[in-house]
């Protein structure tokens, strides 16, 4: 199932990469406070933008003097990120991160874990814990709600539309997943301009 999900998402995001970069050029207002908190908690050292997309958030951290590495499945998205911020990039999936243990002081995981079935979330979080230093900080942003599955989207105005997999979470679900390796510090909820409810959780990796 993971291979199918990865392949379909690669195709979808390659197709919409340019348009995605255009409409997601600035960090949403609801992310600014979590970003400030993340920046204070993450010690000096490299940050991983996990599911970096078109590089919007990588540029945010680079502009603030942080070293940041981006990882994404989509080559189309990575090309957009390279054009925007010029920081190191890698292609890969979240279930097997191509980095050595303990290399990052922070992992910024914005709107990426939600593209995998909930059954795989513990695998991803274990990989995040592996590449984080003890005391490293994780920010995970997820859509609030319940259920999971493929969703057809006509918004992108592409031939045949775009289909992406989404898993939606309750805050208590996120806390339970994080508890295996992290101590949650801050939980926030915000609603986007188009009415989507988002959860952001800041958590610190236990020694």
């Amino acid at each position: 199932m993971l291979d199918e999900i990865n392949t379909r998402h690669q195709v979808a995001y390659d197709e919409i990469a340019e348009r995605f970069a255009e409409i997601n050029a600035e960090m949403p207002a609801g992310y600014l406070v979590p970003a400030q908190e993340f920046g204070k908690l993450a010690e000096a050292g490299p940050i991983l933008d996990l599911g970096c997309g078109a590089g919007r958030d990588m540029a945010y951290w680079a502009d603030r003097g942080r070293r940041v590495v981006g990882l994404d499945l989509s080559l189309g998205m990575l090309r957009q990120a390279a054009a925007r911020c010029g920081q190191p990039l890698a292609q890969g999936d979240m279930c097997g991160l191509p980095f050595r243990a303990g290399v990052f002081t922070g992992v910024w995981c914005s709107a990426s874990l939600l593209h995998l079935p909930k059954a795989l979330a513990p695998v991803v979080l274990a990989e995040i814990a592996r590449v984080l230093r003890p005391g490293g900080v994780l920010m995970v942003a997820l859509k609030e709600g319940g259920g999971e599955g493929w969703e057809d989207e006509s918004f992108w105005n592409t031939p045949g539309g775009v289909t992406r997999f989404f898993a939606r979470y309750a805050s208590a679900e996120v806390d339970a997943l994080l508890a295996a390796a992290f101590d949650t510090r801050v939980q926030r909820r915000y609603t986007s301009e188009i009415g989507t409810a988002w959860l952001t959780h800041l958590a610190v990796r236990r020694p």
Side-chain angles (χ1 to χ4, degrees):
M1 184 178 186
L2 179 59
D3 288 344
E4 178 193 358
I5 289 172
N6 284 347
T7 298
R8 291 176 68 175
H9 278 143
Q10 281 179 302
V11 171
Y13 276 110
D14 284 352
E15 186 171 9
I16 66 174
E18 185 174 351
R19 174 65 174 149
F20 189 96
E22 290 174 358
I23 67 173
N24 291 282
E26 302 296 331
M27 184 178 283
Y31 270 25
L32 295 179
V33 171
Q36 291 166 2
E37 294 166 337
F38 177 93
K40 291 177 182 177
L41 286 171
E43 297 177 354
I47 293 169
L48 172 62
D49 189 345
L50 185 53
C52 64
R56 178 197 70 194
D57 297 354
M58 288 184 70
Y60 174 92
W61 294 114
D63 288 347
R64 284 154 181 80
R66 302 302 298 258
R67 288 184 290 154
V68 58
V69 176
L71 181 137
D72 205 275
L73 267 176
S74 164
L75 283 175
M77 287 293 199
L78 290 171
R79 292 187 187 101
Q80 295 293 323
R84 173 147 191 186
C85 65
Q87 298 296 310
L89 297 163
Q91 186 182 26
D93 76 79
M94 295 180 286
C95 291
L97 299 178
F99 307 108
R100 68 179 187 271
V103 68
F104 296 107
T105 60
V107 173
W108 181 264
C109 184
S110 168
S112 48
L113 182 60
L114 52 70
H115 284 317
L116 290 177
K118 293 182 180 183
L120 291 176
V123 176
V124 175
L125 291 170
E127 275 292 274
I128 291 172
R130 181 184 65 80
V131 301
L132 270 175
R133 300 175 189 174
V137 60
L138 164 66
M139 194 293 297
V140 59
L142 297 158
K143 289 187 177 184
E144 185 180 39
E148 61 183 17
W150 292 98
E151 299 181 12
D152 293 323
E153 301 169 301
S154 59
F155 170 79
W156 300 102
N157 295 323
T158 59
V162 170
T163 302
R164 296 185 291 171
F165 188 96
F166 286 97
R168 289 174 168 76
Y169 288 83
S171 184
E173 285 183 278
V174 184
D175 285 339
L177 286 167
L178 291 172
F182 297 88
D183 294 322
T184 299
R185 295 290 180 86
V186 184
Q187 308 165 4
R188 295 190 182 277
R189 180 185 185 277
Y190 83 95
T191 302
S192 71
E193 294 179 355
I194 61 172
T196 302
W198 289 88
L199 302 171
T200 61
H201 288 237
L202 281 173
V204 173
R205 182 192 182 280
R206 289 194 294 273

